[in-house]
Amino acid sequence: YGIIFKVREKSPDTPCQQVLALKTIRRGIQMEKKICSYETLFAISGNLAADDSKAIAEKFVNLIKDNAESVEVNEWGKRRFAYPINYVTEGYYVLVSFKSEPTFPIELERVFGITEGVLRYMTTAKIEKAEAAAAAEPAAEVVETTEE
């Protein structure tokens, strides 16, 4: 039987993406755990009562706190959409920053998708400052000199 890998055309850039590239693995094989930084933003329907919106937000914040570390929650409150989504013009926004294993955001987005009242959601991997500095450094510059 052995190990099954998903094949990607382009090589992954960050360690978190490398772990996601190796996501499909048979049982019995232990991989080292990688902890990556993520941000998730979700919008809850504005047609719900304020208590219901806050209850859904609290449900997801508790889910993230149970499965992640260093969780920071920023509730943006009720805001107007740029365009109607399912005939709803307002939504309750919540931004959550957290660190977790790369498999957790996949499960989190699955739960977002099946929860009634959540209109939109997006989870992104944050680039660490050390990785960003390494990516921002230009390659070695070539200096031409002429002899006269």
Side-chain angles (χ1 to χ4, degrees), residues 44-49 53 78 81 88 90-92 117 119:
I44 301 166
S45 176
N47 289 347
L48 299 174
S53 296
K78 206 172 218 182
F81 293 142
V88 179
E90 289 184 335
Y92 187 83
L119 296 177

Side-chain angles (χ1 to χ4, degrees), residues 9-113:
E9 293 177 15
K10 190 177 178 182
S11 67
D13 299 330
T14 65
C16 294
Q17 291 172 340
Q18 292 170 0
V19 172
L20 285 174
L22 304 176
K23 181 180 165 250
T24 308
I25 298 179
R26 295 251 180 197
R27 286 187 209 143
I29 297 175
Q30 296 283 332
M31 285 185 59
E32 70 175 85
K33 292 184 179 182
K34 296 270 185 181
I35 301 294
C36 302
S37 297
Y38 296 97
E39 274 189 342
T40 188
L41 176 69
F42 57 97
I44 301 166
S45 176
N47 289 347
L48 299 174
D51 295 339
D52 294 338
S53 296
K54 289 189 179 189
I56 291 174
E58 194 64 32
K59 169 189 167 185
F60 284 107
V61 168
N62 288 336
L63 177 67
I64 293 169
K65 284 181 180 178
D66 292 343
N67 294 292
E69 54 191 46
S70 60
V71 178
E72 297 175 20
V73 181
N74 187 359
E75 292 189 19
W76 291 359
K78 206 172 218 182
R79 302 221 175 177
R80 188 167 189 82
F81 293 142
Y83 54 89
I85 301 172
N86 299 336
Y87 304 104
V88 179
T89 58
E90 289 184 335
Y92 187 83
Y93 283 91
V94 180
L95 175 70
V96 183
S97 298
F98 60 95
K99 291 185 179 187
S100 73
E101 294 181 19
T103 56
F104 175 65
I106 297 166
E107 176 65 17
L108 180 64
E109 288 197 344
R110 185 190 71 79
V111 176
F112 277 137

